[in-house]
Amino acid sequence: MKKLFITALAIFSLASISCVGTQSGEKSMEQITKEVMEVAAAHCKNMDATLPEGRCPRTFERNRFVHTDIYWWCSGFYPGSMWYIYEYTKDEEIKALAEKHTLKLDPLQWVTTDHDVGFQLFCSYGNGYRLTGNEDYVPVLRNGAKSLASRFNPTIGSLRSWDFKKELWDFPVIIDNMMNLELIMWVANRDGDEQLKHVAKTHANTTMKNHFRSDYSTYHLVDYNPKDGSINKKQTVQGFADESRWARGQAWALYGFTMMHRMTGEQAYLKQATKVAEMILPYLPEDGIPYWDFNSHDIPNDLQDASAGAIMASALIELSGFVPERSEAYLAVAERQLRTLASDEYLAQPGTNNNFILRHGVGHKPAGGEVDVPLTYADYYFLEGLLRWQALGRE
Ligand code: GLY
């Protein structure tokens, strides 16, 4: 009788875990998403009210609100966050703000001097088009993809990342650049543009060949010789050391190759993304939010980076859909990351954190910049991760 009772209890507990998907006392992911979206909407409205005309939010650092012109690489994340909030809430005020802060990025479609056009235009115009079908957004995306593709060097087989510090690098390519390929692939698929497709796939293939170590961790920067495509050096810029594993770089690699598998159907990209995921998982601490560099643990009071955690969570949810045998493991990590980011430690209440959503991002620690601060890309990928979780239809 006692044994039966225990079995019945076990079956009941298992049933309740699989229905609700939470341990007892935890909020459901649906409840968390609802609460975060309300908080995020309030932040974004307050942000608009305090943002000077033509400027873009960057961070709140040393008690100062830092904002930029539209050419800073992060200019698409604030409108992109608002598109995600609108997607969930259908709040017309947020939609109007998303449109306003998207349209001000219009000149970026002609930028040929930097690789981040992909981040800037796809998070803003790309989400705007996806949600509204506004055909006026398409030429901006198309022009932006072509401007970005003009940075392709066929001898190297890569898009150039940066044009600055020419005294240091001949042709620098950073792992972050994988993210910009989504804009090119979207236009290539829509227009049937084989040349754009060639550029994006060749860049991904060259990155796969040259950026990764044998354990599938990635260098931050590979510098090439444009004359013959040979490699000058491999190094870090924002990480702890050249041979360390800068957390956000690993996150861009995970997200970038998962996205490239979605956009091309290529199995090689899926294999790469899965190898990167398996490399990352053992480095994550209990709460799922990585230290800003996987190899910086010895530093006293070292910092975790909310942005890397958010990017990884969103990427792992997408990857889980392509790898059935690892799906539950990836989702368990992503859920832990999203729950941690939604906790009081990371999620700022409206009226605090200078109207940014998350705390504790690490931008460029070696330069002493953006250390333990809010970052717009942490906010953006956190909201994206929550929406991707909701799309799983689990709760
Ligand atoms: N793409 C620049 C960074 O991740 O900080």
Side-chain angles (χ1 to χ4, degrees), residues 289-290 304-311 341 346 358-362 373 378:
I289 308 304
Q304 289 166 277
D305 174 22
S307 75
I311 298 158
L341 294 174
Y346 284 88
L358 291 177
R359 300 189 188 89
H360 305 312
V362 179
V373 295

Side-chain angles (χ1 to χ4, degrees), residues 73 116 119 174 176 238 246 248 252 363 377:
W73 75 277
D116 285 321
F119 275 117
I174 58 172
D176 324 29
Q238 286 163 258
W246 176 50
R248 197 162 53 255
W252 293 141
Y377 40 102

Side-chain angles (χ1 to χ4, degrees), residues 77-260:
F77 295 121
Y78 173 51
S81 291
M82 290 194 283
W83 283 121
Y84 281 141
I85 297 165
Y86 168 66
E87 184 172 4
Y88 184 84
T89 62
K90 302 289 179 282
D91 178 338
E92 289 294 326
E93 193 187 340
I94 282 286
K95 182 187 182 194
L97 291 178
E99 278 170 342
K100 179 176 100 172
H101 290 281
T102 291
L103 291 177
K104 80 180 184 207
L105 305 185
D106 176 87
L108 296 175
Q109 66 189 297
W110 308 116
V111 169
T112 57
T113 50
D114 186 84
H115 67 148
D116 285 321
V117 175
F119 275 117
Q120 292 162 314
L121 293 183
F122 207 67
C123 299
S124 54
Y125 283 89
N127 277 312
Y129 180 73
R130 184 175 62 81
L131 293 171
T132 67
N134 184 345
E135 290 293 329
D136 292 346
Y137 291 180
V138 175
V140 180
L141 292 163
R142 184 179 292 119
N143 292 330
K146 290 187 175 167
S147 295
L148 176 54
S150 74
R151 298 179 63 72
F152 183 71
N153 179 312
T155 306
I156 295 167
S158 277
L159 295 151
R160 183 183 182 115
S161 289
W162 297 328
D163 283 7
F164 53 82
K165 294 204 177 158
K166 288 193 167 139
E167 70 285 7
L168 289 183
W169 306 299
D170 290 335
F171 191 100
V173 180
I174 58 172
I175 187 64
D176 324 29
N177 206 349
M178 283 297 302
M179 301 295 285
N180 293 308
L181 303 183
E182 190 164 7
L183 171 66
I184 297 183
M185 278 307 306
W186 186 83
V187 173
N189 287 340
R190 182 187 163 92
D191 291 354
D193 189 324
E194 291 302 320
Q195 178 53 22
L196 285 180
K197 205 175 285 184
H198 168 76
V199 164
K201 287 173 71 171
T202 307
H203 179 96
N205 295 344
T206 305
T207 303
M208 208 155 52
K209 183 162 157 254
N210 294 331
H211 265 75
F212 290 88
R213 304 184 184 91
S214 59
D215 71 346
Y216 291 92
S217 64
T218 175
Y219 285 91
H220 185 192
L221 183 148
V222 177
D223 183 40
Y224 293 94
N225 179 345
K227 290 197 190 85
D228 59 7
S230 61
I231 293 169
N232 291 334
K233 59 186 157 194
K234 302 184 182 190
Q235 64 170 101
T236 197
V237 178
Q238 286 163 258
F240 175 63
D242 287 344
E243 291 303 329
S244 74
R245 293 158 184 82
W246 176 50
R248 197 162 53 255
Q250 314 313 309
W252 293 141
L254 175 69
Y255 193 117
F257 281 96
T258 306
M259 174 276 293
M260 278 301 281

Side-chain angles (χ1 to χ4, degrees), residues 295-306:
N295 304 109
S296 62
H297 289 181
D298 294 341
I299 300 175
N301 305 317
D302 199 17
L303 296 167
Q304 289 166 277
D305 174 22

